[in-house]
Amino acid sequence: MGEVKVIATPQSFPCARIEWALRIKGVEYEYLKEDLANKSPLLLQSNPAHKKVPVLLHHDNPIAESLVILEYIDETWKENPLLPLDPYERAQARFWAKFIDDKCVFGVWGATVAQGEEKEKAIDAALESLAFIEKEIEGKKYFGGEKIGYLDIVVGWMSHWLNVLEELGEIELLTAERFPSLHAWSHNFIQTPPIKDCIPPRETVVEYFSFGINYVRSLEASTKS
Amino acid sequence: MGEVKVIATPQSFPCARIEWALRIKGVEYEYLKEDLANKSPLLLQSNPAHKKVPVLLHHDNPIAESLVILEYIDETWKENPLLPLDPYERAQARFWAKFIDDKCVFGVWGATVAQGEEKEKAIDAALESLAFIEKEIEGKKYFGGEKIGYLDIVVGWMSHWLNVLEELGEIELLTAERFPSLHAWSHNFIQTPPIKDCIPPRETVVEYFSFGINYVRSLEASTKS
């Protein structure tokens, strides 16, 4: 099926989504590690609109945006389907994937960086978005049913990255008490091959997010002053 | 193929996308006009996560988010395909659709509502995002080739709604001088059946956006005071 390369950075969860999907499919790929502080000409030329990782290169044709790449992988390598086969179930998986990226990621990030009187409101918004995902996983082993699928890959950051954000933001969101099913899923997901073979060391994620949190907070401080 | 209903509001372009797609497919549907100032129990129950239109109901099963609904329509009614058939071309169409909704819609909206010294920067950001779309349509009749496809439907708001925003925001963005191909496409698209049969009266769009612009500006004024 031709040469596959991934332009990525190990601490980024959208990048991990692509590696997980390719490994589930059994597709070999070359990992092109990107230095985000000094972006490569290949990245800038492959994703001129966003200049962001991940980018998948298949026969040197670039594809960007992690959810778009997941669909491409699923359509190109048919074994071990990621999306459900039924159109209505596919639509539900896509709906929740967009919800994850629009609401949960930004909700958790907002709760992490918020300070002062805004903190509690931001935590409530994050919890409200997570409650929808709890309902989706209730009574199931994986979002994909008996096997890891598209939506598991999209929610996957909650099994590793979310906990780092909780620590850095001094908040508690995904607890066993609040969200028993999602909490159990998050521990199960990260133990499952091939996911567990492809998780960045915690300290690199801490370093990456610490930089981002300090940056956002300093921006906000300068706007307010 | 069963009963199809659309919960929608005529002045919203994400709702127009759904009507255009169903008409291209030749699918009959019932239009359930939603009053956004007094949302119906059916809307709240069909899209509890966002409480937003459009929602497609197929055999009473709800699907929300316009891009997700377009994929569902294309997978359910096979005649007149909306997305290209080739996986790489499909990925490109999906990438630009996301870019339209993330960058162009918010860029144009930002340029419309911006005031004072922020206005010029916001206009530049909007123009920068539109320049990418100009490159995509150059040399083509439609984004979908010889026929209207998925990406035409997604970009479609630029053929009617964008001009209202330009007027209300006292800005010029999509001019024939700056973006000759996109400008020509926008005039052609809106003349093409069945698109032209399904365009809201200009005054309803003016009223809708005026309300939104005043709301955002009053919010910003109250934050700054």
Side-chain angles (χ1 to χ4, degrees), chain A residues 38-67:
Chain A
N38 182 20
K39 292 180 181 178
S40 69
L42 183 62
L43 174 63
L44 300 179
Q45 161 199 327
S46 302
N47 187 5
H50 300 296
K51 305 175 182 71
K52 285 196 315 193
V53 290
V55 173
L56 182 81
L57 294 161
H58 188 202
H59 305 291
D60 295 324
N61 292 320
I63 305 156
E65 293 286 355
S66 68
L67 300 189

Short mmCIF file of all heavy atoms in Angstrom, two decimals, chain A residues 38-67:
data_model
loop_
_atom_site.label_atom_id
_atom_site.label_comp_id
_atom_site.label_asym_id
_atom_site.label_seq_id
_atom_site.Cartn_x
_atom_site.Cartn_y
_atom_site.Cartn_z
N ASN A 38 11.13 24.66 16.17
CA ASN A 38 11.91 24.95 14.95
C ASN A 38 11.34 24.06 13.84
O ASN A 38 11.91 23.05 13.49
CB ASN A 38 13.39 24.63 15.23
CG ASN A 38 14.25 24.94 14.04
OD1 ASN A 38 13.87 25.72 13.15
ND2 ASN A 38 15.42 24.30 13.99
N LYS A 39 10.18 24.46 13.32
CA LYS A 39 9.41 23.58 12.44
C LYS A 39 10.14 23.30 11.12
O LYS A 39 10.78 24.19 10.55
CB LYS A 39 8.04 24.20 12.19
CG LYS A 39 7.18 24.19 13.45
CD LYS A 39 5.80 24.79 13.24
CE LYS A 39 5.04 24.77 14.57
NZ LYS A 39 3.71 25.37 14.48
N SER A 40 10.02 22.07 10.67
CA SER A 40 10.75 21.63 9.47
C SER A 40 10.10 22.18 8.21
O SER A 40 8.88 22.40 8.17
CB SER A 40 10.76 20.11 9.41
OG SER A 40 9.45 19.64 9.15
N PRO A 41 10.89 22.37 7.15
CA PRO A 41 10.30 22.75 5.85
C PRO A 41 9.25 21.74 5.40
O PRO A 41 8.23 22.12 4.83
CB PRO A 41 11.51 22.75 4.91
CG PRO A 41 12.70 22.98 5.79
CD PRO A 41 12.37 22.32 7.10
N LEU A 42 9.46 20.45 5.71
CA LEU A 42 8.48 19.44 5.30
C LEU A 42 7.12 19.66 5.96
O LEU A 42 6.08 19.57 5.31
CB LEU A 42 9.01 18.03 5.63
CG LEU A 42 8.10 16.87 5.18
CD1 LEU A 42 7.94 16.85 3.66
CD2 LEU A 42 8.63 15.53 5.68
N LEU A 43 7.12 20.01 7.25
CA LEU A 43 5.85 20.28 7.93
C LEU A 43 5.18 21.53 7.35
O LEU A 43 3.98 21.52 7.04
CB LEU A 43 6.06 20.47 9.44
CG LEU A 43 4.80 20.89 10.22
CD1 LEU A 43 3.71 19.81 10.15
CD2 LEU A 43 5.11 21.20 11.68
N LEU A 44 5.94 22.59 7.18
CA LEU A 44 5.37 23.86 6.70
C LEU A 44 4.78 23.70 5.30
O LEU A 44 3.76 24.31 4.97
CB LEU A 44 6.44 24.95 6.71
CG LEU A 44 7.05 25.25 8.09
CD1 LEU A 44 8.12 26.33 7.98
CD2 LEU A 44 5.99 25.66 9.09
N GLN A 45 5.41 22.84 4.52
CA GLN A 45 4.96 22.64 3.15
C GLN A 45 3.81 21.63 3.10
O GLN A 45 2.92 21.72 2.25
CB GLN A 45 6.19 22.16 2.36
CG GLN A 45 6.00 21.47 1.08
CD GLN A 45 7.27 20.66 0.73
OE1 GLN A 45 8.40 21.05 1.04
NE2 GLN A 45 7.07 19.52 0.09
N SER A 46 3.76 20.72 4.08
CA SER A 46 2.71 19.69 4.08
C SER A 46 1.41 20.18 4.69
O SER A 46 0.34 19.66 4.38
CB SER A 46 3.17 18.47 4.88
OG SER A 46 4.36 17.94 4.34
N ASN A 47 1.49 21.17 5.58
CA ASN A 47 0.29 21.69 6.24
C ASN A 47 0.38 23.21 6.34
O ASN A 47 0.44 23.77 7.43
CB ASN A 47 0.15 21.04 7.62
CG ASN A 47 -1.16 21.39 8.30
OD1 ASN A 47 -2.03 22.04 7.71
ND2 ASN A 47 -1.32 20.97 9.55
N PRO A 48 0.39 23.89 5.17
CA PRO A 48 0.58 25.35 5.17
C PRO A 48 -0.56 26.09 5.88
O PRO A 48 -0.34 27.18 6.40
CB PRO A 48 0.64 25.71 3.69
CG PRO A 48 -0.01 24.58 2.97
CD PRO A 48 0.24 23.36 3.80
N ALA A 49 -1.75 25.52 5.91
CA ALA A 49 -2.89 26.22 6.50
C ALA A 49 -2.78 26.29 8.02
O ALA A 49 -3.23 27.26 8.63
CB ALA A 49 -4.20 25.54 6.10
N HIS A 50 -2.23 25.27 8.66
CA HIS A 50 -2.17 25.26 10.13
C HIS A 50 -0.74 25.16 10.67
O HIS A 50 -0.51 25.49 11.83
CB HIS A 50 -2.98 24.08 10.68
CG HIS A 50 -4.43 24.11 10.34
ND1 HIS A 50 -5.27 25.10 10.77
CD2 HIS A 50 -5.20 23.26 9.60
CE1 HIS A 50 -6.50 24.86 10.31
NE2 HIS A 50 -6.48 23.77 9.59
N LYS A 51 0.17 24.60 9.87
CA LYS A 51 1.57 24.41 10.30
C LYS A 51 1.66 23.57 11.58
O LYS A 51 2.45 23.84 12.47
CB LYS A 51 2.26 25.77 10.50
CG LYS A 51 2.19 26.68 9.27
CD LYS A 51 2.79 28.05 9.55
CE LYS A 51 2.67 28.97 8.36
NZ LYS A 51 1.28 29.42 8.07
N LYS A 52 0.76 22.57 11.66
CA LYS A 52 0.66 21.77 12.89
C LYS A 52 0.85 20.29 12.60
O LYS A 52 0.53 19.81 11.51
CB LYS A 52 -0.75 21.94 13.52
CG LYS A 52 -0.95 23.27 14.21
CD LYS A 52 -2.17 23.27 15.14
CE LYS A 52 -3.41 22.64 14.55
NZ LYS A 52 -4.62 22.93 15.35
N VAL A 53 1.34 19.57 13.62
CA VAL A 53 1.34 18.11 13.59
C VAL A 53 -0.01 17.64 14.13
O VAL A 53 -0.67 18.39 14.84
CB VAL A 53 2.49 17.53 14.45
CG1 VAL A 53 3.82 17.82 13.80
CG2 VAL A 53 2.45 18.04 15.88
N PRO A 54 -0.44 16.41 13.81
CA PRO A 54 0.22 15.42 12.95
C PRO A 54 -0.08 15.64 11.46
O PRO A 54 -1.11 16.21 11.12
CB PRO A 54 -0.44 14.11 13.40
CG PRO A 54 -1.82 14.51 13.79
CD PRO A 54 -1.68 15.89 14.41
N VAL A 55 0.85 15.17 10.64
CA VAL A 55 0.60 15.05 9.19
C VAL A 55 0.93 13.62 8.80
O VAL A 55 1.97 13.09 9.19
CB VAL A 55 1.46 16.04 8.38
CG1 VAL A 55 1.31 15.78 6.89
CG2 VAL A 55 1.07 17.48 8.69
N LEU A 56 0.04 13.00 8.06
CA LEU A 56 0.32 11.68 7.48
C LEU A 56 0.76 11.89 6.05
O LEU A 56 0.13 12.67 5.31
CB LEU A 56 -0.96 10.83 7.49
CG LEU A 56 -0.80 9.39 6.96
CD1 LEU A 56 -0.22 8.48 8.02
CD2 LEU A 56 -2.15 8.83 6.47
N LEU A 57 1.86 11.24 5.67
CA LEU A 57 2.30 11.28 4.27
C LEU A 57 2.14 9.87 3.70
O LEU A 57 2.74 8.92 4.21
CB LEU A 57 3.77 11.70 4.17
CG LEU A 57 4.08 13.14 4.61
CD1 LEU A 57 5.57 13.29 4.92
CD2 LEU A 57 3.66 14.13 3.52
N HIS A 58 1.31 9.75 2.69
CA HIS A 58 1.12 8.45 2.04
C HIS A 58 1.51 8.62 0.58
O HIS A 58 0.88 9.42 -0.11
CB HIS A 58 -0.35 8.02 2.18
CG HIS A 58 -0.59 6.60 1.73
ND1 HIS A 58 -1.82 6.14 1.35
CD2 HIS A 58 0.27 5.55 1.59
CE1 HIS A 58 -1.73 4.87 1.01
NE2 HIS A 58 -0.48 4.49 1.14
N HIS A 59 2.53 7.91 0.13
CA HIS A 59 3.11 8.16 -1.20
C HIS A 59 3.45 9.65 -1.32
O HIS A 59 3.23 10.24 -2.38
CB HIS A 59 2.13 7.82 -2.33
CG HIS A 59 1.58 6.43 -2.30
ND1 HIS A 59 2.34 5.33 -2.55
CD2 HIS A 59 0.33 5.98 -2.06
CE1 HIS A 59 1.58 4.25 -2.48
NE2 HIS A 59 0.36 4.61 -2.17
N ASP A 60 3.92 10.24 -0.26
CA ASP A 60 4.29 11.67 -0.20
C ASP A 60 3.11 12.64 -0.30
O ASP A 60 3.31 13.86 -0.33
CB ASP A 60 5.33 12.03 -1.28
CG ASP A 60 6.65 11.32 -1.04
OD1 ASP A 60 7.02 11.14 0.14
OD2 ASP A 60 7.30 10.92 -2.02
N ASN A 61 1.87 12.13 -0.35
CA ASN A 61 0.70 13.03 -0.33
C ASN A 61 0.34 13.34 1.12
O ASN A 61 0.05 12.43 1.89
CB ASN A 61 -0.49 12.37 -1.02
CG ASN A 61 -0.27 12.20 -2.50
OD1 ASN A 61 0.28 13.08 -3.16
ND2 ASN A 61 -0.67 11.06 -3.03
N PRO A 62 0.31 14.61 1.49
CA PRO A 62 0.07 14.97 2.90
C PRO A 62 -1.41 15.05 3.26
O PRO A 62 -2.24 15.51 2.48
CB PRO A 62 0.72 16.35 3.02
CG PRO A 62 0.62 16.94 1.65
CD PRO A 62 0.63 15.80 0.66
N ILE A 63 -1.73 14.62 4.47
CA ILE A 63 -3.07 14.78 5.04
C ILE A 63 -2.89 15.28 6.47
O ILE A 63 -2.11 14.71 7.23
CB ILE A 63 -3.84 13.44 5.08
CG1 ILE A 63 -3.90 12.83 3.68
CG2 ILE A 63 -5.25 13.62 5.62
CD1 ILE A 63 -4.08 11.34 3.70
N ALA A 64 -3.65 16.32 6.83
CA ALA A 64 -3.55 16.89 8.18
C ALA A 64 -4.90 16.83 8.89
O ALA A 64 -5.91 16.51 8.27
CB ALA A 64 -3.06 18.34 8.10
N GLU A 65 -4.89 17.15 10.17
CA GLU A 65 -6.04 17.11 11.09
C GLU A 65 -6.30 15.66 11.51
O GLU A 65 -6.68 14.82 10.70
CB GLU A 65 -7.33 17.69 10.46
CG GLU A 65 -7.29 19.17 10.19
CD GLU A 65 -7.40 20.02 11.47
OE1 GLU A 65 -7.61 19.46 12.55
OE2 GLU A 65 -7.26 21.24 11.34
N SER A 66 -6.15 15.40 12.81
CA SER A 66 -6.14 14.00 13.26
C SER A 66 -7.43 13.25 12.91
O SER A 66 -7.38 12.09 12.49
CB SER A 66 -5.82 13.91 14.75
OG SER A 66 -6.86 14.44 15.54
N LEU A 67 -8.60 13.90 13.03
CA LEU A 67 -9.85 13.17 12.73
C LEU A 67 -9.96 12.86 11.24
O LEU A 67 -10.49 11.82 10.85
CB LEU A 67 -11.08 13.97 13.19
CG LEU A 67 -11.18 14.28 14.69
CD1 LEU A 67 -12.54 14.88 15.02
CD2 LEU A 67 -10.92 13.06 15.54
#
